[in-house]
Structure formats: C-alpha cells, structure tokens
Amino acid sequence: GQQVMQIPQYQHVQEGEDFTTYCNSSTTLSNIQWYKQRPGGHPVFLIQLVKSGEVKKQKRLTFQFGEAKKNSSLHITATQTTDVGTYFCAGRVYNFNKFYFGSGTKLNVKP
Amino acid sequence: DGGITQSPKYLFRKEGQNVTLSCEQNLNHDAMYWYRQDPGQGLRLIYYSQIVNDFQKGDIAEGYSVSREKKESFPLTVTSAQKNPTAFYLCASSRMGDSNQPQHFGDGTRLSIL
C-alpha cells in the first residue's frame, strides 16, 4: 500500500547545530504537508509544498519538495531548544482526499 | 475561539466494552478525520468523512466505527473487536473543495485498557 517513509526516527543535536529530516514516497504525491508535534501536544501545521522542486523558508526552517514529487525534506538551521518536538510529513496522493503521514522524526536539542 | 474539541482527555476501557470518543469542531469544516498514534510512531488513519452522512475507511478501520450525523460532530467508537486499543487518538478537520487545506487537530484522547 501507499507509504511515506521518514528518517531518521530520532535526532539529538547540540543547540546551534543543524537538523534535517527526510520523507520518501513510493508514489508521486500531489502535495506534501509538514507538521510539528510538541511533547504531549497535537500536530500543528507548518507548511505545504505543491510544486515540483519547490523550496519554502520560514525563518530558520527550509522545506523542499523533490523534482519528482516523491521526496521532501525539512532543514532547521542553528537549532534552538524551542525546536524540540516531533516533525511529521504528510503526503497526499492524486485523487485521494487523505494524507499519509510519515512516522515522524523526534528532535531533541541539548542546551 | 474556533477549534476542535476532543473529549474525554483520558479514557479507560474494560474488556468487552465499547467506548465512544467525542470530536466536535466549530470551524465549519466539511472534512473530518480520526487518527491513531502509538508511541514513537506516526499517525495512522482510521476513518474520514468528507460530508455529512458519509464516511470512508482509512488504513486501520477494523474494530472501529464512526458516524457523521452533523457537520460539527464525528464521534469514534472503539468496539470490543479492537484487541489493542491502547493509543493516543487524534481527531482533525479541514476544508474541502481545495485539496491543499491543512488539517487542524484536537488535543487528543488517551485510551487505555483496565
């Protein structure tokens, strides 16, 4: 079945270091969304990518959508303790009104 | 404030018992979703509904049932047929018509077996 794979599962970084999480789909996606879930909280929408090769930035966060629309990445520059949480990608397949979530990458930032 | 309300926050189920999780939204969203989240894992889709009186099975619908009698409400029943119900359940909603709408999540319900 349709799957969205996400790596790594965990990432521990020192504050100030960079962080990247990757998502790969077995099928071409119509769009991909990224969410952040703080410990004990619920997922909160960060951004959506729709176009092939699209790159979007939110302050220290950079989101990319691959040319083939099968992979995506989230890169955080100079992490801060406020970045702690689990980051999920969610890909939508054409003609389906549901999203397939990756397993998430749990980020821990040491001060 | 507009949002999604899930209740209860914590729920305990006895063997052989059905329990119902509530999800209400006042965002005027057409689509609603139920996800299950197990520790260290992503969200798996249980059921979703795009319009009142209609819903579709997600990837792990067995042992669960839903109804969508009102646009604002999408309750999930965890039946006794669900042998491993302990998990964090998240309800979400989104607009329809434009497929690029983000999902808004409730605070979740933690279900445990007694």
Side-chain angles (χ1 to χ4, degrees), chain B residues 45-90:
Chain B
L45 184 64
I46 304 173
Y47 269 98
Y48 66 105
S49 168
Q50 299 177 56
I51 196 169
V52 174
N53 292 323
D54 188 44
F55 47 82
Q56 285 78 39
K57 292 182 179 180
D59 302 312
I60 54 167
E62 186 174 350
Y64 300 96
S65 66
V66 294
S67 62
R68 188 85 187 278
E69 297 177 1
K70 298 187 300 182
K71 186 176 184 178
E72 303 79 17
S73 179
F74 192 40
L76 173 74
T77 297
V78 184
T79 74
S80 57
Q82 172 50 247
K83 298 306 179 187
N84 184 24
T86 298
F88 187 45
Y89 290 87
L90 285 160

Side-chain angles (χ1 to χ4, degrees), chain A residues 43-62:
Chain A
V44 175
F45 175 78
L46 293 176
I47 209 161
Q48 177 165 260
L49 305 170
V50 179
K51 298 177 183 176
S52 169
E54 189 170 15
V55 177
K56 287 187 176 181
K57 292 190 176 184
Q58 288 180 348
K59 298 182 180 178
R60 295 178 294 104
L61 277 62
T62 302

Side-chain angles (χ1 to χ4, degrees), chain A:
Chain A
Q2 170 64 28
Q3 285 191 359
V4 174
M5 309 301 294
Q6 188 173 357
I7 57 168
Q9 189 174 4
Y10 301 99
Q11 186 80 57
H12 302 272
V13 300
Q14 199 71 37
E15 190 171 24
E17 293 181 339
D18 291 356
F19 159 77
T20 306
T21 174
Y22 302 89
C23 281
N24 287 287
S25 169
S26 56
T27 307
T28 302
L29 301 171
S30 65
N31 54 323
I32 193 162
Q33 297 177 346
W34 284 91
Y35 291 81
K36 177 183 179 181
Q37 184 176 23
R38 294 184 186 274
H42 59 268
V44 175
F45 175 78
L46 293 176
I47 209 161
Q48 177 165 260
L49 305 170
V50 179
K51 298 177 183 176
S52 169
E54 189 170 15
V55 177
K56 287 187 176 181
K57 292 190 176 184
Q58 288 180 348
K59 298 182 180 178
R60 295 178 294 104
L61 277 62
T62 302
F63 303 83
Q64 290 188 307
F65 202 9
E67 294 290 340
K69 300 183 74 173
K70 287 187 174 182
N71 56 73
S72 182
S73 65
L74 158 60
H75 179 81
I76 302 178
T77 304
T79 55
Q80 300 175 358
T81 54
T82 53
D83 296 325
V84 165
T86 301
Y87 293 84
F88 293 97
C89 61
R92 181 178 163 272
V93 178
Y94 286 101
N95 300 322
F96 283 88
N97 283 313
K98 59 179 181 177
F99 283 83
Y100 294 92
F101 278 78
S103 54
T105 296
K106 188 172 184 179
L107 172 63
N108 187 37
V109 180
K110 296 181 186 177

